Amino acid sequence: MTPPDPGTLDLFAGAARDVPLDEGAVVLGGFARGIDKALLDTLADVERDAPFRHLVTPGGRMSVAMTNCGAAGWVSDRNGYRYDPIDPDSGRRWPAMPDVFRDLAKSAAAAAGFPGFTPDACLLNRYEPAARLSLHQDRNERDFGSPIVSVSLGLPAVFLWGGQTRSDRPRRVPLVHGDVVVWGGPARLAFHGVHPLAEGHHPLTGNVRYNLTFRHAV
Ligand code: SIN
Ligand code: FE2
């Protein structure tokens, strides 16, 4: 008998399974686990070209640090948010979307019932302990017909899954390393956020959680 590889063992230990959130929204448990190291190596390449930075929004400085790759990047300043093909910090284009990122996003979207997803923007988020993301909708994209694909790496987090209005009480959804959340169709504009990150240590990322969100933005 072939011994299961450590990844498989881990998968059973963590009881990775898919969790439906709403019509059009699902957590694909552990979907990205098998390529976690490739994703993190690639993230380091992106970060070398376009370092993480704490953006300022009309509401103040964000606790989550962000960068982007792809044809357009999500940026913000005191006046508001936008997608921009140029990194305002460097004056250059964002790094191209790496194939390993795009392929993962496409296959996760297809697994969640959204075949034909063509992401052109990837927002990279870096959370350190206490960093949080308040409830919001992803609505700066031109194409609400495409889903959002969101990949978690490193420390676990509590994802807040709200409803169609800001006042809907959000569900607390635990996300661990390798989980992928996909939301589209009737769930595309659902409110969502991330509870303040707890202290911790992850063997691959130390005290950090990374999140990659893929969009068809421009
Ligand atoms: C986001 O809403 O852009 C990020 C969500 C997450 O970090 O899980
Ligand atoms: Fe979001």
Side-chain angles (χ1 to χ4, degrees), residues 82-103:
R82 66 181 187 281
Y83 277 98
D84 198 317
I86 302 296
D87 175 352
D89 279 14
S90 68
R92 290 182 282 118
R93 288 190 166 276
W94 298 101
M97 174 121 36
D99 287 344
V100 63
F101 279 16
R102 178 182 290 104
D103 292 349

Side-chain angles (χ1 to χ4, degrees), residues 133 136-138 183 192 213 215:
L133 201 57
H136 65 278
Q137 295 170 292
D138 291 355
W183 63 96
H192 60 280
T213 39
R215 303 108 191 273

Side-chain angles (χ1 to χ4, degrees), residues 9 31 39-40 72 97 158 160 164 170-171 184 187 193 195 199-200 204:
L9 279 178
F31 192 88
L39 294 173
L40 287 166
M97 174 121 36
V158 176
L160 303 172
Q164 301 292 331
R171 235 170 107 178
H195 194 69
E199 293 280 351
L204 295 181

Side-chain angles (χ1 to χ4, degrees), residues 12-207:
F12 288 129
R17 56 174 188 272
D18 297 349
V19 180
L21 295 175
D22 264 325
E23 197 188 331
V26 65
V27 180
L28 303 172
F31 192 88
R33 257 205 96 95
I35 56 162
D36 55 357
K37 291 198 179 66
L39 294 173
L40 287 166
D41 286 349
T42 306
L43 182 152
D45 294 339
V46 169
E47 178 180 5
R48 258 191 300 279
D49 275 7
F52 282 98
R53 76 289 307 261
H54 292 272
L55 295 172
V56 172
T57 69
R61 177 186 184 269
M62 299 188 76
S63 58
V64 179
M66 297 182 170
T67 186
N68 294 277
C69 62
W74 188 86
V75 292
S76 174
D77 57 31
R78 291 245 167 252
N79 301 316
Y81 324 122
R82 66 181 187 281
Y83 277 98
D84 198 317
I86 302 296
D87 175 352
D89 279 14
S90 68
R92 290 182 282 118
R93 288 190 166 276
W94 298 101
M97 174 121 36
D99 287 344
V100 63
F101 279 16
R102 178 182 290 104
D103 292 349
L104 170 68
K106 281 170 158 296
S107 56
F114 301 100
F117 179 45
T118 53
D120 58 8
C122 172
L123 172 65
L124 293 80
N125 295 315
R126 186 187 68 201
Y127 297 76
E128 286 173 10
R132 61 190 289 269
L133 201 57
S134 51
L135 279 183
H136 65 278
Q137 295 170 292
D138 291 355
R139 57 177 313 145
N140 295 120
E141 299 72 29
R142 217 165 58 182
D143 173 20
F144 294 152
S146 288
I148 302 284
V149 173
S150 169
V151 181
S152 291
L153 294 167
L155 284 185
V158 176
F159 186 57
L160 303 172
W161 180 252
Q164 301 292 331
T165 66
R166 192 180 290 280
S167 57
D168 289 348
R169 192 189 168 85
R171 235 170 107 178
R172 297 166 64 98
V173 181
L175 293 181
V176 300
H177 179 73
D179 286 351
V180 179
V181 190
V182 181
W183 63 96
R188 175 60 182 75
L189 291 176
F191 281 86
H192 60 280
V194 178
H195 194 69
L197 198 78
E199 293 280 351
H201 176 85
H202 189 277
L204 295 181
T205 67
N207 74 335

